[in-house]
Amino acid sequence: MNNLRGIDLNLLVVLDALLAERHVSRAAARLNMSQPAVSHALGRLRHLFDDPLLIRRNGQLTPSARALDIAPALTEALRQLQEVLGPGGFDPAQETRRFRLAMSDYGSAVILPDLLNMLRRAAPGIELVITQASREAMLRQVLDGDCDLALGVFPDLHPRIEAERLFDEQFACLADRQGLDGRDRLDLAAYLARPHVLVAMQNDADTGIDTALRAIGHTRRIVVTLPHWGTAPRLIRGTDLVLTVARKTLALCEDDPDLAVFAPPFAIPPFPFVQVWHERRTGDSAHLWLRSAVATAARSVSQPSASDMEAAGGGPARPL
């Protein structure tokens, strides 16, 4: 290991890809190499480091302790080498690359339209694969290398996961206008008297909405629980149901004369919507470009409109 002249530095590029992807086929696609070539390179790397580096367990490659130790330094060293050799880095206009993103249909609705518009103009060779799972499952995908980015609300993060806040979101309510008896909103008593729709990936999920209600000594009666943000507003028309969800999911309901969007009749703290990734990808120029593109797409939807302010404050300002 002391004689760099005897080392094929291309092997380190392969190792960096394998540690990021934890999958031979995905690493091969990332490097534009054949799968046998990557497997052969892994064999040479194991001999070079005198360590298994990646161990197959339950159908996936798990890094050894030695591999985990060297991964951050390896990624940073390759980044600096690209700068020395420049012009290098990631050229989105020329690259062909597949990125895997995990998010709910809320994240897809909010982020993907502007993100894809940007990619088609600036990076036509980039492919996105979107998956949806519970919050815990998405974090596990990030840790295991099964996705490049996860977008959502993640209060508790593993020490090896890094995060960037994209915007703060607020809550709003949706009800059938005919059932409001000429009013434009529900007061707390009327809100609690109605049956409610809950959007959650798990039936027993605790939400910020119910936490805020308990803080003032109340609970609500939930009669429908479903995991789809996009479907939930369709359940309200013609019923006595109330939906309380992230404000941006109700944008298409604003101009519907049969539906009313209004601020909750009690204070609910806003929540941060973030993108998270494994620390081993922080210095990857392609990943850095992807995170920047996602952040740019998020900025286009993060500025509150007049209707957002109305839903958030209901006229006179009130905290959420």
Side-chain angles (χ1 to χ4, degrees), residues 91-170:
D91 181 359
Q94 302 298 325
E95 295 281 352
T96 57
R97 176 94 175 250
R98 172 182 292 179
F99 290 109
R100 302 177 305 280
L101 281 66
M103 65 185 80
S104 69
D105 57 335
Y106 165 82
S108 296
V110 171
I111 298 295
L112 280 185
D114 285 334
L115 178 61
L116 286 176
N117 187 280
M118 291 166 44
L119 296 190
R120 298 315 305 157
R121 288 184 286 106
I126 299 302
E127 177 185 349
L128 299 183
V129 176
I130 310 299
T131 61
Q132 180 178 358
S134 68
R135 180 182 301 168
E136 294 76 13
M138 285 195 285
L139 291 178
R140 175 51 54 187
Q141 290 173 0
V142 170
L143 283 170
D144 291 344
D146 292 330
C147 73
D148 296 286
L149 275 178
L151 280 65
V153 181
F154 305 105
D156 302 309
L157 294 178
H158 188 280
R160 290 186 175 272
I161 293 181
E162 299 190 16
E164 178 186 5
R165 182 189 298 255
L166 297 174
F167 55 81
D168 287 330
E169 175 66 295
Q170 301 191 13

Side-chain angles (χ1 to χ4, degrees), residues 241-263:
L241 295 169
V242 178
L243 173 66
T244 308
V245 287
R247 175 67 185 79
K248 290 180 173 56
T249 65
L250 302 179
L252 295 179
C253 301
E254 286 286 352
D255 299 324
D256 192 322
D258 297 327
L259 298 173
V261 178
F262 53 93

Side-chain angles (χ1 to χ4, degrees), residues 268-291:
I268 311 176
F271 60 89
F273 188 78
V274 303
Q275 59 176 337
V276 301
W277 64 94
H278 198 289
E279 63 180 9
R280 65 176 170 265
R281 298 184 187 270
T282 297
D284 183 309
S285 59
H287 200 274
L288 179 61
W289 173 85
L290 173 64
R291 299 196 306 267

Side-chain angles (χ1 to χ4, degrees), residues 132-267:
Q132 180 178 358
S134 68
R135 180 182 301 168
E136 294 76 13
M138 285 195 285
L139 291 178
R140 175 51 54 187
Q141 290 173 0
V142 170
L143 283 170
D144 291 344
D146 292 330
C147 73
D148 296 286
L149 275 178
L151 280 65
V153 181
F154 305 105
D156 302 309
L157 294 178
H158 188 280
R160 290 186 175 272
I161 293 181
E162 299 190 16
E164 178 186 5
R165 182 189 298 255
L166 297 174
F167 55 81
D168 287 330
E169 175 66 295
Q170 301 191 13
F171 288 94
C173 300
L174 184 70
D176 186 83
R177 189 175 295 279
Q178 188 173 1
L180 295 181
D181 298 325
R183 297 169 295 173
D184 60 358
R185 66 190 67 240
L186 295 172
D187 61 21
L188 182 59
Y191 179 91
L192 295 173
R194 295 286 193 99
H196 291 260
V197 177
L198 170 65
V199 179
M201 292 298 297
Q202 300 171 340
N203 291 339
D204 59 350
D206 196 12
T207 70
I209 303 163
D210 297 293
T211 299
L213 271 176
R214 285 196 300 271
I216 58 174
H218 295 288
T219 59
R220 58 179 178 159
R221 182 167 64 96
I222 297 169
V223 298
V224 180
T225 301
L226 75 163
H228 308 298
W229 294 82
T231 302
R234 302 181 186 180
L235 307 180
I236 304 305
R237 188 186 308 274
T239 74
D240 60 346
L241 295 169
V242 178
L243 173 66
T244 308
V245 287
R247 175 67 185 79
K248 290 180 173 56
T249 65
L250 302 179
L252 295 179
C253 301
E254 286 286 352
D255 299 324
D256 192 322
D258 297 327
L259 298 173
V261 178
F262 53 93
F266 57 98

Side-chain angles (χ1 to χ4, degrees), residues 12-23 27 30 42 45 49 52-55 61-64 66-75 142-146 278 280-281:
L12 300 183
V13 176
V14 174
L15 178 57
D16 182 60
L18 283 167
L19 290 175
E21 302 293 344
R22 301 193 183 187
H23 194 282
R30 173 172 173 169
L42 178 56
L45 285 161
F49 283 91
L53 296 176
L54 291 133
I55 305 157
L61 296 177
T62 301
S64 67
R66 178 78 186 282
L68 290 174
D69 285 340
I70 66 175
L74 174 62
T75 299
V142 170
L143 283 170
D144 291 344
D146 292 330
H278 198 289
R280 65 176 170 265
R281 298 184 187 270

Side-chain angles (χ1 to χ4, degrees), residues 57-88:
R57 291 174 180 161
N58 299 322
Q60 65 178 7
L61 296 177
T62 301
S64 67
R66 178 78 186 282
L68 290 174
D69 285 340
I70 66 175
L74 174 62
T75 299
E76 177 61 18
L78 291 175
R79 184 191 66 79
Q80 293 182 4
L81 186 59
Q82 284 181 332
E83 290 183 357
V84 170
L85 296 175

